[in-house]
Amino acid sequence: GKIENHKLLSWWARPDSNRRPLPRERSKVDFDGILSEFKDFCVVDLQLSDSTADNRARYIRHFLEYIRKDPRTVTREDIRGYLKMVKEEKSPFTYGGILKALKRFFRDFMGMGHVVEGFRFPGRVTKPVWVPSKEEIRRFYDALQTVMARALFLVYASSGLRKSEVLGLRVADVDFGERMLKPRNRPNSSKNVWVSFYNEEAEEMLNLYLEERGEVKPADKLFLISDRQFRKIWREAYEKTGVKITPQVLREWFCCEMAELGVPDRYVDAFCGRVPKSILARHYTDYSPKKLKRIYDKAGLKVLS
């Protein structure tokens, strides 16, 4: 999996294949090519998901734009200075993600492990989970301008699924009669998936959205939205309301709400894709879709009322 420096010649635009550019020749570096090869390395060699590879590449792009140097001339001091800035401006969670990307890029991809060796990840800080009130949920929802955004919001809130699981749904993954969602297991994902459901509020808005779209095929994405559009819509609603709601917040809200409605933890975990991995543990509890549907409907989850 390591790519030695002498194999990186395709990154440089030069007439003489034996000539190496000087560090100051930044204009000669094909950064898009570097990042494209790095993303392929993450997906193929490291078996990371596409979204994770995109995040790693985005962090590396920001780093390279910050230092404005040939990546082969980067030093520990360059990385230390950058991480110092990150530590002052970003959360420990973001700091950890950036450091992970730097280690993947320089140690695993570039074969320059010495420049990232010794940098430690921040300790985990456990914070109380903030769960929005029904009034805050409603305010944020009302700030969403499109039928698609509202349908997406209600599916998140009433299913407890992760952001990528909902955005990855295809029309064929939805049983519209049972209001059941069946996210696909990805071979390079560390996350479990099972089945979950959406409530009547989400059903109504989802049907409106699909009517607005027109004819759809089973292989079509359920929600036609890019990650950039998604972040823009959520950011605009936050700016209007001052309420910081994300798919992860809605996932936490779903768990708390279902618990208050009397749903046992093991079934809440199942809706969220946290079914025990062992066959033995699974057989102690009935996790069949039919049983989960009955439990979900009995809870009577409401998001907006």
Side-chain angles (χ1 to χ4, degrees):
K2 294 183 179 179
I3 297 181
E4 302 298 335
N5 285 342
H6 69 274
K7 294 181 181 179
L8 303 178
L9 300 181
S10 61
W11 290 359
W12 307 91
R14 56 191 179 281
D16 182 357
S17 62
N18 294 318
R19 171 184 170 273
R20 290 182 179 273
L22 297 174
R24 64 175 177 272
E25 291 180 294
R26 183 178 181 276
S27 62
K28 301 293 185 181
V29 183
D30 178 11
F31 284 101
D32 289 336
I34 293 173
L35 294 171
S36 177
E37 290 187 31
F38 177 57
K39 282 173 62 176
D40 287 344
F41 172 79
C42 288
V43 171
V44 179
D45 296 47
L46 302 182
Q47 286 293 290
L48 301 179
S49 68
D50 291 340
S51 60
T52 299
D54 286 339
N55 283 334
R56 298 282 187 269
R58 180 165 52 86
Y59 285 143
I60 295 304
R61 179 183 292 279
H62 186 272
F63 171 76
L64 295 177
E65 290 175 349
Y66 177 85
I67 62 167
R68 304 175 67 84
K69 289 178 66 174
D70 170 353
R72 293 180 296 182
T73 68
V74 167
T75 65
R76 285 177 57 82
E77 288 68 31
D78 293 325
I79 292 177
R80 183 179 292 113
Y82 180 73
L83 289 176
K84 181 179 179 181
M85 179 271 294
V86 169
K87 186 176 181 180
E88 293 172 351
E89 298 182 0
K90 304 293 183 182
S91 69
F93 178 82
T94 302
Y95 180 98
I98 290 171
L99 178 55
K100 189 175 294 185
L102 290 170
K103 284 181 178 286
R104 288 296 195 191
F105 183 76
F106 285 105
R107 181 192 63 201
D108 302 333
F109 181 63
M110 293 280 289
M112 295 170 57
H114 62 282
V115 301
V116 290
E117 186 179 359
F119 290 108
R120 300 192 176 216
F121 292 96
R124 288 178 173 245
V125 179
T126 303
K127 296 182 179 180
V129 174
W130 173 76
V131 177
S133 66
K134 278 283 187 77
E135 191 275 332
E136 289 171 319
I137 289 278
R138 182 77 201 198
R139 274 201 291 136
F140 193 95
Y141 174 82
D142 287 342
L144 298 171
Q145 298 297 303
T146 66
V147 172
M148 180 187 67
R150 292 187 170 194
L152 190 55
F153 181 92
L154 290 173
V155 168
Y156 277 121
S158 64
S159 70
L161 293 180
R162 302 174 181 94
K163 175 185 174 182
S164 60
E165 290 167 356
V166 173
L167 294 183
L169 287 170
R170 299 189 181 276
V171 173
D173 300 329
V174 184
D175 183 331
F176 293 97
E178 296 293 320
R179 289 185 278 107
M180 183 167 65
L181 304 171
K182 299 170 286 185
R184 300 185 180 195
N185 279 296
R186 295 183 180 183
N188 57 350
S189 174
S190 61
K191 309 296 185 185
N192 298 321
V193 297
W194 198 244
V195 298
S196 192
F197 304 85
Y198 54 94
N199 70 358
E200 292 88 350
E201 297 164 312
E203 179 181 36
E204 180 182 357
M205 198 54 60
L206 184 58
N207 287 340
L208 286 174
Y209 165 60
L210 291 175
E211 286 175 15
E212 188 179 86
R213 268 182 64 178
E215 184 179 354
V216 294
K217 299 178 182 178
D220 291 345
K221 282 285 188 74
L222 182 62
F223 292 105
L224 294 178
I225 184 172
S226 67
D227 189 62
R228 183 176 181 181
Q229 287 176 299
F230 181 94
R231 286 185 275 113
K232 181 176 182 290
I233 290 170
W234 250 243
R235 184 178 64 252
E236 288 175 350
Y238 165 64
E239 291 170 352
K240 290 178 182 178
T241 63
V243 180
K244 183 71 170 179
I245 292 182
T246 65
Q248 180 60 34
V249 168
L250 292 177
R251 183 171 163 86
E252 298 290 351
W253 180 87
F254 171 86
C255 293
C256 292
E257 198 70 14
M258 292 295 269
E260 286 192 15
L261 291 168
V263 179
D265 290 349
R266 62 187 180 278
Y267 291 114
V268 176
D269 285 344
F271 295 133
C272 293
R274 294 191 288 257
V275 175
K277 291 184 179 180
S278 80
I279 299 296
L280 185 62
R282 279 201 294 246
H283 283 193
Y284 275 114
T285 303
D286 182 2
Y287 290 115
S288 67
K290 185 176 180 180
K291 176 68 174 290
L292 293 175
K293 169 69 171 171
R294 188 161 64 246
I295 291 170
Y296 183 93
D297 287 346
K298 185 179 178 181
L301 176 67
K302 299 293 183 184
V303 178
L304 303 175
S305 60

